[in-house]
Amino acid sequence: MNAKSGHLPLPALPEIDVEEFRKVVRSRRSVRRFTDEPIPDAVLADCLELATLAPNSSNLQPWEFYVVRTPELRARLAEACLGQNAATTAPVLIAIVARPDTWRKHARLALEDWPKDEKLPSIVEKYYKKIAPIHYNQGPCGLLGVAKKTAGLALGLARPVPRGPYSVNEMKVWATKSTALAAENLILALRAHGFDSCPMEGFDECRVRRLLKLPRKGLVTMVLAAGRRAENGVYNRQYRFDRKNLIRYL
């Protein structure tokens, strides 16, 4: 135990081979056709675990993963994904769902699941018990959000202040940002295991929600098709815009 900080010492950082990571990133493609080879249970479980290690706002982990492998349900979900080749050929479909409504429950879990061999810092306890319930709560009809925005505008004239989320819609954006980070972890984990994926935005969300019996406030960020890349699975050569148009050094 560190006498000054009160925290347990962190484990030594592992050696990282950046070239292996580069291979994962550069070989990742949105694959449109898959073989019928299944993804082993252990591999899929490891990829999903790595997905949940993604950085996220206040460690509130506002996401859920609905893994569809049964042929009948998968076929119906593929139909809701407009019959795309990626959806109809993948052995696994995963609905990645943002949850802007679970922050209260997860704030409690953040305290309950704190490592038992480490003392809970008072600042962490204060954040989840007092600050988070104000910061993320929008109140009846969004009135608390309006009040917070008004106060933020006034206080922001004198000093930097957090700007939002101030509404139900901003909470949806908040949850979706963290969920997209988890999705990227999942995509790269699949590639690292030798499998591929295709994140799909082309789907009928109403049908997907009914089919998977999703919670009312859950937002389908994407449906991810996953499996072994077929020989004709990649349609075109990958290219990106000139970085000069996208990156600014200040």
Side-chain angles (χ1 to χ4, degrees):
M1 180 75 74
N2 186 305
K4 292 184 178 180
S5 68
H7 290 279
L8 294 173
L10 294 174
L13 290 173
E15 291 292 329
I16 301 294
D17 186 340
V18 69
E19 290 307 319
E20 290 301 309
F21 178 68
R22 194 187 311 278
K23 282 160 57 176
V24 169
V25 173
R26 288 196 174 277
S27 64
R28 182 222 59 83
R29 296 296 307 273
S30 292
V31 172
R32 309 295 177 171
R33 294 182 186 273
F34 299 89
T35 71
D36 58 4
E37 178 186 345
I39 301 177
D41 291 348
V43 169
L44 187 56
D46 185 53
C47 292
L48 289 164
E49 179 184 1
L50 292 171
T52 65
L53 295 178
N56 61 95
S57 180
S58 297
N59 198 28
L60 290 174
Q61 303 166 54
W63 51 53
E64 288 178 343
F65 302 86
Y66 291 78
V67 183
V68 180
R69 292 190 292 182
T70 54
E72 181 180 354
L73 184 57
R74 197 175 71 237
R76 294 173 65 191
L77 181 55
E79 183 181 359
C81 292
L82 313 181
Q84 297 180 60
N85 287 330
T88 58
T89 61
V92 178
L93 295 176
I94 304 171
I96 302 176
V97 178
R99 293 298 305 271
D101 58 323
T102 57
W103 65 266
R104 289 185 181 85
K105 174 185 175 182
H106 289 191
R108 292 193 299 270
L109 287 176
L111 296 176
E112 293 172 7
D113 290 354
W114 188 265
K116 304 305 179 187
D117 58 351
E118 185 178 337
K119 182 181 179 181
L120 177 66
S122 59
I123 191 172
V124 173
E125 184 174 19
K126 178 182 178 181
Y127 180 81
Y128 287 113
K129 284 187 174 180
K130 296 182 178 180
I131 298 176
I134 296 174
H135 186 64
Y136 296 108
N137 188 9
Q138 304 309 316
C141 302
L143 293 177
L144 179 56
V146 173
K148 289 189 297 182
K149 184 173 184 178
T150 301
L153 289 172
L155 292 172
L157 295 174
R159 59 183 175 86
V161 295
R163 305 281 182 160
Y166 290 141
S167 68
V168 171
N169 282 336
E170 288 184 17
M171 284 296 292
K172 292 177 180 179
V173 174
W174 166 81
T176 299
K177 287 191 290 185
S178 287
T179 302
L181 291 173
E184 179 70 0
N185 264 29
L186 177 55
I187 289 166
L188 294 179
L190 285 162
R191 182 80 287 273
H193 274 285
F195 291 90
D196 284 287
S197 62
C198 182
M200 296 178 290
E201 291 185 293
F203 54 81
D204 184 325
E205 184 170 3
C206 292
R207 283 179 166 78
V208 172
R209 294 173 63 84
R210 287 198 302 268
L211 187 62
L212 302 183
K213 298 180 173 59
L214 299 182
R216 184 173 62 87
K217 294 184 178 180
L219 306 169
V220 186
T221 302
M222 67 188 73
V223 178
L224 189 72
R228 183 76 73 185
R229 182 184 307 197
E231 289 186 5
N232 60 346
V234 177
Y235 288 175
N236 303 296
R237 179 178 176 181
Q238 187 182 62
Y239 69 98
R240 289 294 185 265
F241 305 135
D242 191 317
R243 283 175 291 178
K244 292 185 295 185
N245 296 322
L246 306 172
I247 300 173
R248 302 287 185 267
Y249 294 97
L250 305 177

